[in-house]
Amino acid sequence: MAQKNVISLDKIKVACRDCSLSTLCLPMGLRPDDVDRLDAIVKRNRPLQRGDHLFRAGEAFRNLYVVKTGAVKTFTQTNEGDEQVVGFHLPGEVLGLDAIQDGQHGCSARALETTAICELPFDRLEDLSSNIPSLQHQMFRLLSKEISHEAEMMALLGRSTAEERVASFLISLSERFKRRGFSATDFFLSMSRQEIGSYLDLALETVSRLFTRFQDEGILKVERKHVQILDLERLNGMVVHPTNVERHHANPST
Amino acid sequence: MAQKNVISLDKIKVACRDCSLSTLCLPMGLRPDDVDRLDAIVKRNRPLQRGDHLFRAGEAFRNLYVVKTGAVKTFTQTNEGDEQVVGFHLPGEVLGLDAIQDGQHGCSARALETTAICELPFDRLEDLSSNIPSLQHQMFRLLSKEISHEAEMMALLGRSTAEERVASFLISLSERFKRRGFSATDFFLSMSRQEIGSYLDLALETVSRLFTRFQDEGILKVERKHVQILDLERLNGMVVHPTNVERHHANPST
DNA sequence: TCAGCCTTTTGACCTGAATCAAAGTAGGGA
DNA sequence: TCCCTACTTTGATTCAGGTCAAAAGGCTGA
């Protein structure tokens, strides 16, 4: 039992150079010795349990965080007191980028399941970026990618029906799982209908109804958290594809 | 006449160190000699006329652009062929940040009125950032601010009524004009109801109706493009204020 | 094993904003 | 000057999705 814990901690504390996420994460495109310099500033704590906070809105910003295993949601509080989900974050995704700006976190983050995190002290990351041009470049790309991603999300929320939003959400998860080596068509949702609805700006009932409908139409098989995509074609067909098609054969990351 | 052109071009080509936007723009917080090094890479072309493109979606990314005077909209095309406004950009605001990621512009930008632009070749900006830590820091903040801004916009689009959106839009313009030394309560809209609606994800009729209603309620005086805010208090009261109030007395920029 | 709680599903109804339609209104060009 | 076009306003109608309500599973812990 103790033995088992030790092994699992060791696995979690794997160095960047040996980490399976290195093609998704910050080290992407760095030279091996630069990866080691980056690795030297990474701090790896014990895993978070479901419900644990990674950080809270208003807290001072010190670190960026990368999800290593598990899943995290970020959220803010509306003034009616209920929470508004801002994003779901899978392994290799970086959290805290919005906080660089004013030195404090604008949203809270908590684990949706048992989750391992790599912590990067931002001041040290800045120093390192000054000395490693390719890391600076990678940082710029990372930030820019976040901007693009949010712009896409705005476009989605903006001009689309409930059907499109739920379809997009499933497609996005599917693609992200696939890139991480999991099944693109058979996975478990680590978040509730409530949280999905909050994220997509839909009532939880609407999410539920669409899952049911997609199932009735033979597109999905849904049983609670377990989702199987039976007809990815049709799901893709529901989504408004960006017209500037050129972007598609450009960048195959995150 | 020729004389006048020369003078106006001279005015447009003012160096960063003499530019009134220096507290809003990239040079913010740089040492004077570093501002000059930044200035050396800035290119200033002739002003754009209303309707001129600054860049188009799909074009290769080479430069960041800063609005110097005037106003620019960014937009994408939906697959139904109509344009979707992504943002309105006032003096001191930087365009193109989303394109760093994959080397091409994800949206198009065109002038809403006669507009002067400063152009920053991104490769040279990266080099300079490597050599000037405070510039690198400024760049990170700039990118992070864009992320925060989009997150706020998502929150707005997400969870709010047409009334809240239009109120927010007016408040945002008001604050941005104020920071730039213009009146916070009396200004001209450089965009159409159509464009406002597209930006806020509302039908143009809805925007028009709300302008009318706000006027009937004594909150605004609207005559076509000319807007006067009569009761900013009440306008503010319509908007969902973020609960994490701490953020407010944090960072007084853009 | 059962009780209690929480999540999810399903149904009925209602409403805010979209859509459709048409009438003003301003500005630019011949 | 007047016309033409584009923008804006206003009204009538429709409908997607929210809200309210209640039932049905699952899961946890005693």
Side-chain angles (χ1 to χ4, degrees), chain B residues 208-226:
Chain B
S208 176
R209 276 185 244 272
L210 280 161
F211 278 8
T212 305
R213 214 187 80 205
F214 287 171
Q215 173 154 268
D216 292 347
E217 293 173 343
I219 295 166
L220 297 182
K221 173 116 174 46
V222 191
E223 187 168 359
R224 301 222 125 207
K225 307 276 186 197
H226 185 197

Side-chain angles (χ1 to χ4, degrees), chain A residues 57-58 77-79 84 86 97-102 104-106 122 126 129-130 133 136-137 139-141 143-148 150-151 153-154 157-159 198 201 240-241 243-244 246-247 250-251, chain B residues 57-58 77-79 84 86 97-102 104-106 122 126 129-130 133 136-137 139-141 143-148 150-151 153-154 157-159 198 201 240-241 243-244 246-247 250-251:
Chain A
Q77 219 64 2
T78 69
N79 44 356
Q84 167 54 46
V86 172
L97 296 174
D98 63 309
I100 295 171
Q101 182 219 160
D102 66 353
Q104 65 184 329
H105 288 284
F122 185 67
E126 271 192 301
S129 295
S130 285
Q136 188 200 55
H137 185 71
M139 285 293 295
F140 287 151
R141 288 197 36 170
L143 284 152
S144 176
K145 181 176 300 176
E146 185 72 15
I147 292 169
S148 296
E150 294 199 351
M153 195 62 206
M154 271 179 54
L157 290 186
R159 5 200 160 304
S198 170
D201 260 314
V240 176
H241 297 287
T243 316
N244 38 329
E246 299 94 330
R247 294 192 76 196
N251 158 313
Chain B
Q77 216 72 356
T78 68
N79 44 356
Q84 167 54 44
V86 172
L97 296 174
D98 62 309
I100 295 171
Q101 183 221 158
D102 65 354
Q104 64 184 329
H105 288 285
F122 185 67
E126 272 192 301
S129 296
S130 285
Q136 188 200 55
H137 185 71
M139 286 292 294
F140 286 151
R141 289 196 35 169
L143 285 151
S144 176
K145 182 176 301 176
E146 185 71 14
I147 293 170
S148 296
E150 294 199 352
M153 194 63 205
M154 271 179 54
L157 290 187
R159 16 211 146 297
S198 170
D201 261 312
V240 177
H241 297 288
T243 316
N244 38 330
E246 300 94 329
R247 293 192 78 196
N251 158 313

